[in-house]
Every structure is written in structure tokens, then in C-alpha cells.
Amino acid sequence: MAIVSKPITANRYRAEPSVLTALRTPRLLTREVLAGLVVAMALIPEAIAFSIIAGVDPRVGLFSSFVMAVTIAFVGGRPAMITAATGAIALVIAPVAREYGMDYFIATVILAGVFQIVLSLIGVAKLMRFIPRSVMVGFVNALAILIFTAQLPQLLGVPFMVYPLVAAGLIIMIVMPRLTKVIPAPLVAIVVLTIATVVIAINVPTISDQGELPQSLPELFFPNVPLTWDTFTIIAPYALGMALVGILESLMTAKFVDEITDTHSNKTRETWGQGVANVMSGIFGGMGGCAMIGQTMINVKASGARTRISTFLAGVFLLVLVLGLGDVLAVVPMAALVAVMIIVSYLTFDWHSIRLSTLKRMPKSETTVMIATVVVIVLTHNLAIGVVVVVVVIVAMVAFARRVAHLARVERTVELNQPVPTAYYTVTGALFFASSNDMMTQFEYADDPDLIVIDMSASHIWDASTVATLDAITYKYERHDKHVVIEGLNKASTELHSRLAGNLGAGH
């Protein structure tokens, strides 16, 4: 039987296990509760650090993380994904707080949420597949660089003891995961450095020096800004940048979780949910945010969470911990948070993309696009401007990509009446970043027999994105102890595949 371009159905997005199943199963419920607690502890230091990057009080980031985690648990399209205040969003809207004040800052967050809702309704999530891998890598690398440079004010013109404290924090976060991953390394670093500064009475800047910490539940906040065209022109560019960055990072994270869990998520609903969460965050005086790759990996990969329960409890536990430990948080040295953000920057950067071996194998055109994306964003030192510029360039690519992406198709035939039961896939058409992203969803990883043959004789590989997709498909089958054979590649496709396969970091 041949299956061609299977239609998306409601069952495709059904979460396994469901929330009701988890609530009825003590073992699953315990896993979700513990995962939520671990994520909440990991969220606290980063939410405070991101608040400082944005130039607002720590409570703004903490409230935002609470509101967004709880909201997205109900309205998001990807179960178990964590949404909270992030460095990317902080970098985008930091100029608003600095130049126009808190009211304009909150208005920007609310408008960004509205933009995301509108963009979801016009189908922007479906256009994500047209963004080439090289642009994605460039965006991630630029984000990492900006996160690191945002720490420089906390490292220049400060007491000397800040430097050994930062160094100690880095050492703890590098060594700790090798010993145990039960307790988040950033949390351990912050606790150790805080105890050291209090016991030894080291005089260094602390969180209390950066602004007010929360003492009560978040309250409604309606920004006092004039509802005029001038106001709109001030905040709209930052709000659009925030909306685009949030969608980009959230859908990238959702794709990672899809691959880890071998499930599908509703990207359009996730985009809409991010918008709702940002609007709610703004209404309660939060700084907004998006999905967090690091915390999501802690929740899904390290803790094994699979449902919305863990996301909801991460927000609840965060608020409980913050209100109960407010006085303790006030004495946390800024050096500890700087160390955390340096590690975040390091882990965010795609080091594989700049290895000499990778640069030699990659087509020069794709390397140029990646570098250009980094340069545009870093030189403007503003993700909002940088992303808008990049998006404008991509629009021209999308116009062409949309015309040809639908020409690629996958047909599946299963032969059980032979010595080795085999699933045969025939891939037809031009394969590049737009069409290859869809190809991953056309394979039955769990249901196929132990041998899978992918016939590429009627297709052509055009870029590294397709090779990365084939690597990811092979890796997903290997996780199910199944063997993949790729055959029928033409000469040009064979050369590109042989040069890049296994060297793009896909899947692993």
C-alpha cells in the first residue's frame, strides 16, 4: 500500500500521555511535578538576569515567567515546552525601557502579543519552513554574542572580587553536570556564591542593587501611554521585532521537542498561544518572553516530562519560591548571574557551525548567508532591527521557495512478505530548506519494520538543510533500533551528501 502526502488530522497533535492520563497515573504525575519543580528553580536566576539585561526590576522578569508559563500551559500548541522571560526578548525591547520608560515598555510587550496573534491567523507559522538552516544558525549565533556582550557592563568598573566570583561560578557550572544533573548547575552556582559572599562579607553588587523584588502577587498594570499614532510608531518596530524573535525561537524549540518525543505539535496554535501569553504578561506588568530552549530541554530531556502539567507547575512553583525566598534573593551577588549568562551564551552558540572542518564542507553560499545574518544583527546590536532586515531578505526567497516546495513528495510502501520486512520510501522532487523540513514528518518512525530503504533517484539535494534532514531521519530510526539505507542519489547529490552527512550536528 502506498501512502502519499498524508493529510494532517487532529490525531496528529494528540499528546501522549494526555493530561488526564498523567493525573490518573501516580508515576507519571510524580514525574511531571518533579520536572516542574526543577524547571522553576532553573528559571529563577535566568529570569532575574534577563530582567537586568532589559533594564527593568527583577520582579518584572519573575512575574513574566510566572504568567507566561501558566498561560501557555493552557493555550500553547506544544505540550511540555517551557515559555518564560528570555534573553532574546530582553535584548529586543531593552532600548524601550531605557529611552521611553516602563509604561512604553509594557505597551510594547502587549502590542507584540497582538502582533503574534495576528501573524498566527495569517499563517506565519507555516512560513517558518522556508527559512533556511543557515539563517537559523546565524540568528542563534548572533543571539549568543549579544547575550555575552550584555554582561560587559557588569564586568567593567566593578570591585576586583567580582572576577574570582564569576570564575568560580563558571567552574561550578562546568563541573557540576559531570557529577550530577539532578540539581540545576546554575542554581548550585548561585547558592554557593551567595553563601560565600555573605559568610566572608564580600562587598560586591547584589540583586537588590538592581531594583525591587516581588513582595506580593502580580497586579494588573495598564500602561499610561497616549493612544496616538506617534506612540504606535515608537513601539511598533520593537514590538514587531519582539514578535518575530519570539515566534522564531518558540517554533525552533517546538521542532526540537517534536524530534525528541517523536510527536507532532500544532505550530499555528503555538504561535497564537505565545501571543496570548505575551498579552497576559504585559497586562500583569511582565516583560514578555517566548519558549526557552534550555529550560525545555531540562523539562523534556533531563526530567522526562511530556504534558502541560509540568509547564503549569513550573510557573506555580516559581511564584511560590520567589515570594517565600525574596529576602534571600536580594543578597545574591550579580557575579553569579553574570556567570550564568556567560554559560547561557556559550551553550546558545552553535560552535559546530564555525569549526574549520564544517566550513570546508559547507557550500560557500550557505556559510556567507550565516555570516551575513550574524553581522547584520551584531552590528545593529539590536535583534529587532537585525531580524526585520533578515526577514525582508527572506521574503524574496520565500516567494520562490513556495512555488517549488510543493513539488517534493514522499510515497511509502511496506513489503512484509519477504525475508526482511522492509519499508520503501520514494522521494520525488527538488529538496532544499523549504521542502526538506516537511519531509521529516512523512516517515513512520515507530510503525515501520526494521529495514527502511529511501529511494532518492527521482530527487535532487540542493543544500545542507536537506542533508541535515536526512541525518535526522536516520538518527530517529536508529533510536528505534532500525536500519536506514539511502539509495539512488545522482552524482551531484552524492557528492554533497558524502561531504556533509554526519557533520552537521543533526539529531545528535
Side-chain angles (χ1 to χ4, degrees):
M1 180 182 66
I3 300 175
V4 183
S5 302
K6 300 182 290 290
I8 295 174
T9 64
N11 288 337
R12 183 176 178 177
Y13 301 130
R14 183 174 295 167
E16 292 294 342
S18 67
V19 171
L20 286 178
T21 300
L23 290 174
R24 294 167 180 166
T25 311
R27 178 180 59 83
L28 295 179
L29 182 59
T30 300
R31 183 183 69 186
E32 298 294 317
V33 171
L34 292 178
L37 179 60
V38 171
V39 170
M41 291 190 292
L43 279 174
I44 292 174
E46 292 196 6
I48 294 172
F50 295 145
S51 300
I52 293 163
I53 289 177
V56 295
D57 289 346
R59 66 174 179 172
V60 176
L62 292 166
F63 280 163
S64 183
S65 295
F66 158 68
V67 173
M68 295 198 72
V70 170
T71 303
I72 207 70
F74 292 96
V75 301
R78 173 65 262 179
M81 192 164 76
I82 303 299
T83 291
T86 63
I89 298 302
L91 287 166
V92 171
I93 56 176
V96 182
R98 184 170 59 248
E99 297 172 18
Y100 301 102
M102 193 63 186
D103 287 294
Y104 279 83
F105 180 87
I106 297 300
T108 303
V109 173
I110 295 173
L111 181 60
V114 173
F115 279 159
Q116 287 179 324
I117 294 172
V118 173
L119 289 170
S120 72
L121 295 177
I122 63 177
V124 73
K126 296 177 182 177
L127 298 181
M128 277 290 296
R129 65 192 178 100
F130 296 107
I131 299 179
R133 180 179 179 276
S134 51
V135 172
M136 292 280 200
V137 172
F139 170 80
V140 169
N141 288 348
L143 171 60
I145 293 170
L146 292 182
I147 290 176
F148 177 78
T149 56
Q151 308 312 307
L152 296 180
Q154 300 292 338
L155 293 170
L156 301 175
V158 294
F160 172 78
M161 286 304 298
V162 167
Y163 303 111
L165 286 173
V166 170
L170 293 174
I171 292 171
I172 292 171
M173 284 182 283
I174 292 171
V175 175
M176 186 71 185
R178 300 177 183 179
L179 302 177
T180 179
K181 294 183 179 180
V182 175
I183 305 175
L187 185 65
V188 175
I190 289 170
V191 170
V192 171
L193 295 186
T194 301
I195 292 174
T197 54
V198 172
V199 172
I200 308 175
I202 302 174
N203 186 21
V204 291
T206 63
I207 288 178
S208 61
D209 299 325
Q210 307 301 316
E212 186 180 354
L213 285 166
Q215 301 292 329
S216 61
L217 294 172
E219 299 176 352
L220 292 176
F221 185 106
F222 295 102
N224 182 23
V225 296
L227 300 178
T228 63
W229 179 251
D230 287 341
T231 300
F232 182 80
T233 57
I234 289 172
I235 66 175
Y238 297 101
L240 180 60
M242 175 179 168
L244 293 173
V245 169
I247 291 172
L248 183 64
E249 190 162 345
S250 297
L251 296 189
M252 283 173 58
T253 305
K255 183 179 178 181
F256 292 152
V257 179
D258 289 352
E259 294 176 3
I260 290 171
T261 60
D262 279 339
T263 58
H264 299 290
S265 58
N266 190 329
K267 305 300 189 299
T268 297
R269 177 177 171 180
E270 183 60 40
T271 305
W272 177 84
Q274 292 290 328
V276 173
N278 273 310
V279 170
M280 293 298 293
S281 172
I283 289 176
F284 282 96
M287 60 180 278
C290 61
M292 305 183 75
I293 295 178
Q295 270 62 30
T296 298
M297 291 302 103
I298 290 173
N299 196 45
V300 175
K301 204 167 186 178
S303 302
R306 290 292 183 270
T307 76
R308 301 173 187 274
I309 296 173
S310 59
T311 306
F312 174 78
L313 290 179
V316 173
F317 284 140
L318 170 67
L319 186 66
V320 171
L321 290 170
V322 167
L323 294 181
L325 302 174
D327 293 337
V328 175
L329 291 176
V331 298
V332 172
M334 284 302 302
L337 299 185
V338 170
V340 169
M341 297 316 301
I342 290 175
I343 290 294
V344 169
S345 172
Y346 176 82
L347 295 176
T348 300
F349 197 92
D350 185 352
W351 295 99
H352 188 277
S353 67
I354 62 169
R355 287 179 186 169
L356 190 58
S357 59
T358 303
L359 295 176
K360 286 180 178 178
R361 292 187 178 95
M362 289 289 290
K364 290 184 174 59
S365 59
E366 298 199 31
T367 301
T368 302
V369 170
M370 186 267 286
I371 294 173
T373 304
V374 173
V375 169
V376 168
I377 295 177
V378 172
L379 284 185
T380 59
H381 209 74
N382 187 319
L383 275 174
I385 297 173
V387 168
V388 170
V389 170
V390 170
V391 168
V392 169
V393 174
I394 289 173
V395 166
M397 301 166 61
V398 168
F400 168 75
R402 291 192 68 179
R403 287 198 298 270
V404 298
H406 70 281
L407 299 177
R409 54 190 290 176
V410 178
E411 295 183 10
R412 173 179 179 257
T413 304
V414 178
E415 298 291 346
L416 299 177
N417 299 322
Q418 54 186 41
V420 180
T422 305
Y424 293 93
Y425 287 88
T426 302
V427 182
T428 306
L431 300 176
F432 61 112
F433 58 85
S435 55
S436 61
N437 284 340
D438 276 350
M439 191 168 68
M440 278 195 64
T441 65
Q442 300 297 317
F443 290 78
E444 301 290 345
Y445 302 99
D447 298 333
D448 278 340
D450 291 342
L451 178 61
I452 296 88
V453 176
I454 303 176
D455 182 5
M456 308 283 289
S457 57
S459 61
H460 185 90
I461 297 176
W462 286 102
D463 62 3
S465 294
T466 303
V467 179
T469 297
L470 289 173
D471 281 353
I473 290 170
T474 301
Y475 175 65
K476 291 184 77 170
Y477 274 118
E478 288 175 351
R479 287 170 54 194
H480 289 279
D481 295 322
K482 299 175 182 180
H483 180 62
V484 177
V485 175
I486 299 175
E487 61 182 24
L489 291 171
N490 58 35
K491 184 178 179 181
S493 297
T494 298
E495 290 177 355
L496 185 62
H497 185 263
S498 298
R499 191 167 78 245
L500 300 179
N503 294 293
L504 296 173
H508 302 276

